[in-house]
Short mmCIF file of all heavy atoms in Angstrom, two decimals:
data_model
loop_
_atom_site.label_atom_id
_atom_site.label_comp_id
_atom_site.label_asym_id
_atom_site.label_seq_id
_atom_site.Cartn_x
_atom_site.Cartn_y
_atom_site.Cartn_z
N VAL A 238 98.73 69.27 103.12
CA VAL A 238 98.28 70.60 102.93
C VAL A 238 97.38 70.60 101.67
O VAL A 238 97.49 69.79 100.76
CB VAL A 238 99.42 71.66 102.80
CG1 VAL A 238 100.25 71.70 104.11
CG2 VAL A 238 100.36 71.18 101.63
N PRO A 239 96.48 71.58 101.60
CA PRO A 239 95.45 71.62 100.50
C PRO A 239 96.11 71.89 99.10
O PRO A 239 95.43 71.52 98.07
CB PRO A 239 94.48 72.73 100.91
CG PRO A 239 95.22 73.59 101.90
CD PRO A 239 96.22 72.63 102.60
N ALA A 240 97.28 72.46 98.97
CA ALA A 240 97.76 72.83 97.60
C ALA A 240 99.21 73.02 97.72
O ALA A 240 99.81 73.25 98.78
CB ALA A 240 97.12 74.24 97.19
N ASN A 241 99.91 72.77 96.61
CA ASN A 241 101.32 72.97 96.47
C ASN A 241 101.64 74.43 96.67
O ASN A 241 100.98 75.28 96.30
CB ASN A 241 101.89 72.56 95.11
CG ASN A 241 101.74 71.02 94.93
OD1 ASN A 241 101.70 70.25 95.83
ND2 ASN A 241 101.73 70.55 93.60
N ALA A 242 102.80 74.66 97.29
CA ALA A 242 103.14 76.04 97.61
C ALA A 242 104.65 76.22 97.25
O ALA A 242 105.34 75.29 97.24
CB ALA A 242 103.01 76.44 99.07
N PHE A 243 104.96 77.43 96.67
CA PHE A 243 106.34 77.73 96.33
C PHE A 243 106.83 78.88 97.09
O PHE A 243 106.21 79.92 97.40
CB PHE A 243 106.17 78.08 94.84
CG PHE A 243 107.42 78.75 94.28
CD1 PHE A 243 108.46 77.94 93.83
CD2 PHE A 243 107.50 80.12 94.15
CE1 PHE A 243 109.70 78.48 93.35
CE2 PHE A 243 108.72 80.70 93.67
CZ PHE A 243 109.72 79.80 93.27
N TYR A 244 108.09 78.77 97.53
CA TYR A 244 108.77 79.84 98.28
C TYR A 244 110.23 80.02 97.76
O TYR A 244 110.97 78.99 97.52
CB TYR A 244 108.97 79.38 99.83
CG TYR A 244 107.69 79.16 100.40
CD1 TYR A 244 107.02 77.88 100.42
CD2 TYR A 244 106.96 80.14 101.13
CE1 TYR A 244 105.84 77.68 100.97
CE2 TYR A 244 105.71 79.97 101.67
CZ TYR A 244 105.08 78.68 101.58
OH TYR A 244 103.99 78.46 102.21
N LYS A 245 110.51 81.20 97.41
CA LYS A 245 111.85 81.64 97.10
C LYS A 245 112.39 82.77 97.79
O LYS A 245 111.68 83.84 97.85
CB LYS A 245 111.89 81.94 95.52
CG LYS A 245 113.29 82.08 94.89
CD LYS A 245 113.18 82.04 93.40
CE LYS A 245 114.58 81.94 92.80
NZ LYS A 245 114.60 81.71 91.34
N VAL A 246 113.55 82.70 98.36
CA VAL A 246 114.09 83.83 99.28
C VAL A 246 115.49 84.18 98.75
O VAL A 246 116.29 83.34 98.40
CB VAL A 246 114.13 83.43 100.68
CG1 VAL A 246 112.70 83.25 101.25
CG2 VAL A 246 114.97 82.22 101.01
N TYR A 247 115.73 85.53 98.77
CA TYR A 247 117.01 86.07 98.36
C TYR A 247 117.56 86.82 99.51
O TYR A 247 116.87 87.65 100.19
CB TYR A 247 116.85 87.02 97.14
CG TYR A 247 116.29 86.42 95.92
CD1 TYR A 247 114.89 86.52 95.76
CD2 TYR A 247 117.00 86.02 94.83
CE1 TYR A 247 114.27 85.96 94.58
CE2 TYR A 247 116.39 85.67 93.56
CZ TYR A 247 115.05 85.58 93.48
OH TYR A 247 114.54 85.11 92.44
N HIS A 248 118.91 86.79 99.73
CA HIS A 248 119.52 87.60 100.79
C HIS A 248 119.50 89.11 100.26
O HIS A 248 119.70 89.34 99.10
CB HIS A 248 120.95 87.20 101.04
CG HIS A 248 120.93 85.75 101.65
ND1 HIS A 248 120.86 85.60 103.06
CD2 HIS A 248 121.23 84.64 101.19
CE1 HIS A 248 120.98 84.34 103.34
NE2 HIS A 248 121.19 83.65 102.22
N MET A 249 119.32 89.97 101.24
CA MET A 249 119.16 91.44 100.94
C MET A 249 119.72 92.15 102.08
O MET A 249 119.93 91.62 103.25
CB MET A 249 117.76 91.83 100.63
CG MET A 249 116.75 91.63 101.76
SD MET A 249 115.23 92.43 101.55
CE MET A 249 115.79 94.08 102.06
N PRO A 250 119.88 93.50 101.96
CA PRO A 250 120.42 94.26 103.12
C PRO A 250 119.44 94.43 104.23
O PRO A 250 118.28 94.27 104.13
CB PRO A 250 120.62 95.68 102.43
CG PRO A 250 120.78 95.39 100.98
CD PRO A 250 119.84 94.31 100.74
N GLY A 251 120.09 94.73 105.44
CA GLY A 251 119.24 94.85 106.67
C GLY A 251 118.51 96.17 106.73
O GLY A 251 118.65 97.11 105.92
N ARG A 252 117.68 96.38 107.74
CA ARG A 252 116.75 97.43 107.88
C ARG A 252 117.36 98.84 107.96
O ARG A 252 116.68 99.73 107.40
CB ARG A 252 115.87 97.18 109.19
CG ARG A 252 114.74 98.11 109.44
CD ARG A 252 113.65 98.00 108.34
NE ARG A 252 112.49 98.74 108.66
CZ ARG A 252 112.40 100.10 108.51
NH1 ARG A 252 113.44 100.71 108.01
NH2 ARG A 252 111.38 100.70 108.79
N PHE A 253 118.49 98.99 108.47
CA PHE A 253 119.14 100.31 108.52
C PHE A 253 120.17 100.58 107.38
O PHE A 253 120.83 101.64 107.57
CB PHE A 253 119.69 100.56 109.93
CG PHE A 253 118.68 100.37 111.04
CD1 PHE A 253 118.94 99.69 112.12
CD2 PHE A 253 117.43 100.95 110.90
CE1 PHE A 253 118.05 99.57 113.22
CE2 PHE A 253 116.45 100.84 111.93
CZ PHE A 253 116.77 100.03 113.06
N HIS A 254 120.23 99.68 106.48
CA HIS A 254 121.20 99.84 105.35
C HIS A 254 120.71 100.84 104.36
O HIS A 254 119.49 101.06 104.15
CB HIS A 254 121.46 98.48 104.74
CG HIS A 254 122.49 98.53 103.75
ND1 HIS A 254 122.43 98.90 102.43
CD2 HIS A 254 123.87 98.01 103.87
CE1 HIS A 254 123.57 98.76 101.80
NE2 HIS A 254 124.52 98.15 102.62
N GLN A 255 121.66 101.55 103.71
CA GLN A 255 121.29 102.63 102.69
C GLN A 255 120.42 102.00 101.49
O GLN A 255 119.68 102.84 100.89
CB GLN A 255 122.47 103.36 102.31
CG GLN A 255 123.48 102.45 101.43
CD GLN A 255 124.67 103.22 101.03
OE1 GLN A 255 124.87 104.39 101.47
NE2 GLN A 255 125.55 102.51 100.29
N ASP A 256 120.59 100.80 101.20
CA ASP A 256 119.85 100.20 100.11
C ASP A 256 118.60 99.48 100.52
O ASP A 256 117.92 98.89 99.60
CB ASP A 256 120.79 99.24 99.34
CG ASP A 256 121.92 100.02 98.62
OD1 ASP A 256 121.70 101.16 98.21
OD2 ASP A 256 123.00 99.47 98.48
N TYR A 257 118.24 99.53 101.73
CA TYR A 257 117.10 98.82 102.20
C TYR A 257 115.78 99.20 101.50
O TYR A 257 115.00 98.31 100.97
CB TYR A 257 116.89 98.97 103.74
CG TYR A 257 115.56 98.34 104.23
CD1 TYR A 257 115.52 96.95 104.39
CD2 TYR A 257 114.38 99.04 104.34
CE1 TYR A 257 114.29 96.35 104.80
CE2 TYR A 257 113.21 98.58 104.83
CZ TYR A 257 113.18 97.17 104.96
OH TYR A 257 112.01 96.53 105.33
N PHE A 258 115.57 100.57 101.30
CA PHE A 258 114.28 100.95 100.71
C PHE A 258 114.24 100.70 99.30
O PHE A 258 113.11 100.41 98.70
CB PHE A 258 113.95 102.34 101.10
CG PHE A 258 113.62 102.65 102.47
CD1 PHE A 258 114.47 103.28 103.31
CD2 PHE A 258 112.46 102.17 103.01
CE1 PHE A 258 114.11 103.48 104.69
CE2 PHE A 258 112.14 102.29 104.28
CZ PHE A 258 112.94 103.02 105.10
N ALA A 259 115.44 100.67 98.54
CA ALA A 259 115.38 100.28 97.19
C ALA A 259 114.97 98.84 97.03
O ALA A 259 114.11 98.44 96.15
CB ALA A 259 116.77 100.43 96.56
N ALA A 260 115.46 97.91 97.93
CA ALA A 260 115.07 96.64 97.94
C ALA A 260 113.60 96.38 98.32
O ALA A 260 112.89 95.52 97.80
CB ALA A 260 116.01 95.80 98.93
N ASP A 261 113.10 97.19 99.33
CA ASP A 261 111.78 97.05 99.72
C ASP A 261 110.83 97.45 98.60
O ASP A 261 109.76 96.74 98.29
CB ASP A 261 111.55 97.95 100.94
CG ASP A 261 110.25 97.85 101.60
OD1 ASP A 261 109.60 96.78 101.38
OD2 ASP A 261 109.70 98.70 102.31
N LEU A 262 111.07 98.53 97.88
CA LEU A 262 110.28 98.97 96.78
C LEU A 262 110.29 98.02 95.66
O LEU A 262 109.30 97.74 94.89
CB LEU A 262 110.64 100.33 96.33
CG LEU A 262 110.36 101.52 97.36
CD1 LEU A 262 110.90 102.75 96.84
CD2 LEU A 262 108.89 101.66 97.66
N LEU A 263 111.50 97.25 95.46
CA LEU A 263 111.61 96.36 94.43
C LEU A 263 110.66 95.17 94.73
O LEU A 263 109.99 94.67 93.80
CB LEU A 263 113.12 95.83 94.43
CG LEU A 263 113.31 94.59 93.50
CD1 LEU A 263 113.08 94.91 92.05
CD2 LEU A 263 114.79 94.14 93.78
N SER A 264 110.58 94.73 96.02
CA SER A 264 109.62 93.61 96.38
C SER A 264 108.23 94.07 96.13
O SER A 264 107.32 93.24 95.65
CB SER A 264 109.84 93.23 97.72
OG SER A 264 109.23 94.21 98.62
N ASP A 265 107.92 95.35 96.22
CA ASP A 265 106.53 95.88 96.00
C ASP A 265 106.28 95.90 94.47
O ASP A 265 105.11 95.44 94.18
CB ASP A 265 106.40 97.29 96.51
CG ASP A 265 106.42 97.42 98.10
OD1 ASP A 265 106.36 96.30 98.75
OD2 ASP A 265 106.57 98.51 98.65
N VAL A 266 107.15 96.22 93.70
CA VAL A 266 106.89 96.08 92.20
C VAL A 266 106.72 94.75 91.83
O VAL A 266 105.85 94.37 91.02
CB VAL A 266 108.15 96.76 91.46
CG1 VAL A 266 108.07 96.36 90.07
CG2 VAL A 266 108.18 98.15 91.64
N LEU A 267 107.53 93.80 92.36
CA LEU A 267 107.29 92.35 92.03
C LEU A 267 105.95 91.88 92.52
O LEU A 267 105.23 91.08 91.80
CB LEU A 267 108.44 91.64 92.69
CG LEU A 267 109.76 91.70 91.93
CD1 LEU A 267 110.89 91.10 92.78
CD2 LEU A 267 109.80 91.03 90.56
N GLY A 268 105.62 92.05 93.79
CA GLY A 268 104.49 91.37 94.40
C GLY A 268 103.70 91.93 95.38
O GLY A 268 103.14 91.15 96.22
N ARG A 269 103.56 93.30 95.45
CA ARG A 269 102.52 93.89 96.40
C ARG A 269 101.27 94.26 95.65
O ARG A 269 101.11 95.23 94.90
CB ARG A 269 103.25 95.18 96.89
CG ARG A 269 102.22 95.75 98.00
CD ARG A 269 102.91 97.03 98.73
NE ARG A 269 101.99 97.67 99.55
CZ ARG A 269 102.29 98.65 100.41
NH1 ARG A 269 103.52 99.09 100.42
NH2 ARG A 269 101.28 99.12 101.21
#
Side-chain angles (χ1 to χ4, degrees):
V238 293
N241 291 340
F243 169 81
Y244 301 88
K245 188 168 191 174
V246 295
Y247 303 86
H248 292 281
M249 61 163 282
R252 186 65 174 77
F253 302 135
H254 191 278
Q255 62 183 6
D256 291 330
Y257 172 79
F258 287 111
D261 189 17
L262 293 175
L263 170 65
S264 76
D265 290 347
V266 167
L267 284 170
R269 179 176 179 175

